Amino acid sequence: MTFKKYLWPAVGGLTIALSAWLLYKELRGLSLDDLWVSLAAIPKTHWCLAAASSLVAYWALAGYDRIALMHLGRKIDWFFITVCSFTTYALSHNIGASVVSGAVVRYRAYSTRGMTPAEIGVLIAMCSFTFILGTLMLIGIILVIEPEVIARFGDLIPVEASAALGYFLLVLIGLYVVASFMKLKPLTLRLSKLGSVNIVYPAPRVVLPQLLIAPIELIGAAGIIYFALPEAGNPGYMVVLGIFLVSFSAALLSHAPGGLGVLELVFVMGLPDMNPADVIAALLVFRLFYLIIPFVMALVVIFVFERSQFRRDEPLDIQRAKHQEKA
């Protein structure tokens, strides 16, 4: 437990240090004045479109929890799900180790609605899988439409094989959908602390929303960066989306808080034809709308929630004494 406690912070710290060093080599000639000019050059309409893209992304994130609850057969009011999902992702995106930090928030919230630890574990796994599913589907679509995007990250695979990889990913997604119609038998796992967990293959009414909600969230998040980039040298939305999928996935895997340094490094490398100051400025807009503002709002939500829980858990005699003092 002690090893696990320090593992992810250490991984995140090392990732930030390495990314910062590589990013410094890429941006040695960049000044704060250049960055300010790039920020000031973003049109007001594009600021509004970036903000709207952030709202779309967080609206779709609430759908992750709703889909998981649908899979579990649990009915919880939409407002609670939305607030819980928003708070979870706003914190986990900024803190890093999203599976761990998101689990803490979800357990605290959903346990007040009578959900068991096993159910919450399935919910967390389902949300993570929905994200992976949406990412793989969009990567497959992009590789089919824009196979040259892979060349922006070096000679990982030949460009000619990019489209083939895209079709392969889409076939895997198709098999996942087909299997949902086959009504496969559930798999029962017996866990010592969490009890028995039935792993049920998602039904079509769960799978089809997964294929809609996850891509919408990623499309909205990438839209923040796209609208903040200038037209000069802009390779188009599909390429920006592809680079975003790579950078955001790398940021999550790195466990670096907020993907600090990782997002910037991947985007600067993926957009070599654009002014680095414009790229960094667009990522600052992304961090403002997708990370910083939601993070501040999430802290307020947690404070209000914990305050209400504390008051509810107070002994009855203390509550009466306080009421009498006010009277």
Side-chain angles (χ1 to χ4, degrees):
M1 291 301 295
T2 303
F3 174 74
K4 291 180 180 179
K5 178 181 178 181
Y6 295 104
L7 173 63
W8 296 126
V11 170
L14 289 173
T15 304
I16 291 175
L18 177 61
S19 299
W21 178 68
L22 294 173
L23 196 60
Y24 171 75
K25 293 179 65 178
E26 295 283 343
L27 304 177
R28 277 179 291 187
L30 181 64
S31 68
L32 290 177
D33 290 337
D34 295 333
L35 190 58
W36 178 253
V37 169
S38 295
L39 283 170
I42 300 174
K44 292 181 180 179
T45 53
H46 285 212
W47 279 97
C48 294
L49 289 170
S53 297
S54 180
L55 291 176
V56 169
Y58 272 95
W59 170 82
L61 281 173
Y64 282 36
D65 286 53
R66 188 170 177 83
I67 290 170
L69 290 167
M70 187 190 309
H71 176 65
L72 288 166
R74 281 281 193 169
K75 291 185 179 180
I76 298 177
D77 64 276
W78 173 253
F79 179 76
F80 182 88
I81 296 172
T82 302
V83 173
C84 178
S85 175
F86 170 81
T87 306
T88 297
Y89 287 110
L91 288 176
S92 61
H93 287 161
N94 283 277
I95 295 173
S98 58
V99 173
V100 178
S101 56
V104 173
V105 177
R106 282 195 173 99
Y107 179 79
R108 177 64 175 154
Y110 285 115
S111 61
T112 65
R113 290 298 186 270
M115 291 183 64
T116 65
E119 287 178 322
I120 297 172
V122 172
L123 183 144
I124 294 167
M126 195 67 180
C127 289
S128 299
F129 181 73
T130 299
F131 167 78
I132 294 171
L133 188 69
T135 302
L136 291 178
M137 187 173 76
L138 284 179
I139 288 176
I141 293 172
I142 291 169
L143 289 179
V144 170
I145 297 175
E146 296 278 356
E148 296 82 8
V149 72
I150 200 72
R152 293 175 176 270
F153 301 101
D155 300 326
L156 299 177
I157 61 173
V159 175
E160 295 76 14
S162 298
L165 176 59
Y167 283 115
F168 174 73
L169 292 176
L170 294 178
V171 168
L172 289 181
I173 302 297
L175 292 175
Y176 170 70
V177 175
V178 170
S180 70
F181 288 90
M182 297 175 63
K183 297 182 179 180
L184 302 176
K185 294 182 178 180
L187 176 66
T188 301
L189 296 180
R190 299 190 181 278
L191 306 177
S192 58
K193 294 183 179 180
L194 297 178
S196 296
V197 178
N198 287 327
I199 300 180
V200 181
Y201 200 94
R205 65 186 182 87
V206 173
V207 171
L208 297 180
Q210 280 183 310
L211 300 181
L212 177 65
I213 292 297
I216 288 177
E217 186 268 320
L218 295 166
I219 288 169
I224 303 172
I225 301 173
Y226 172 74
F227 288 120
L229 287 170
E231 293 183 6
N234 194 320
Y237 178 77
M238 292 300 291
V239 173
V240 172
L241 176 60
I243 297 172
F244 173 78
L245 293 174
V246 174
S247 64
F248 197 64
S249 300
L252 290 176
L253 291 173
S254 71
H255 296 283
L260 190 61
V262 180
L263 286 171
E264 288 78 4
L265 178 63
V266 175
F267 259 94
V268 170
M269 292 176 61
L271 295 173
D273 298 329
M274 296 196 72
N275 182 356
D278 294 334
V279 177
I280 298 300
L283 292 173
L284 286 176
V285 175
F286 171 78
R287 289 190 176 281
L288 175 66
F289 286 131
Y290 195 77
L291 298 176
I292 298 173
I293 293 177
F295 182 65
V296 173
M297 294 173 65
L299 292 178
V300 174
V301 170
I302 289 177
F303 173 77
V304 173
F305 175 79
E306 293 296 340
R307 189 165 178 263
S308 65
Q309 291 298 113
F310 177 78
R311 285 185 172 182
R312 193 190 69 173
D313 295 338
E314 266 188 335
L316 187 59
D317 55 342
I318 296 179
Q319 293 183 28
R320 287 174 177 172
K322 288 183 176 180
H323 182 70
Q324 290 174 357
E325 288 178 4
K326 290 181 179 179

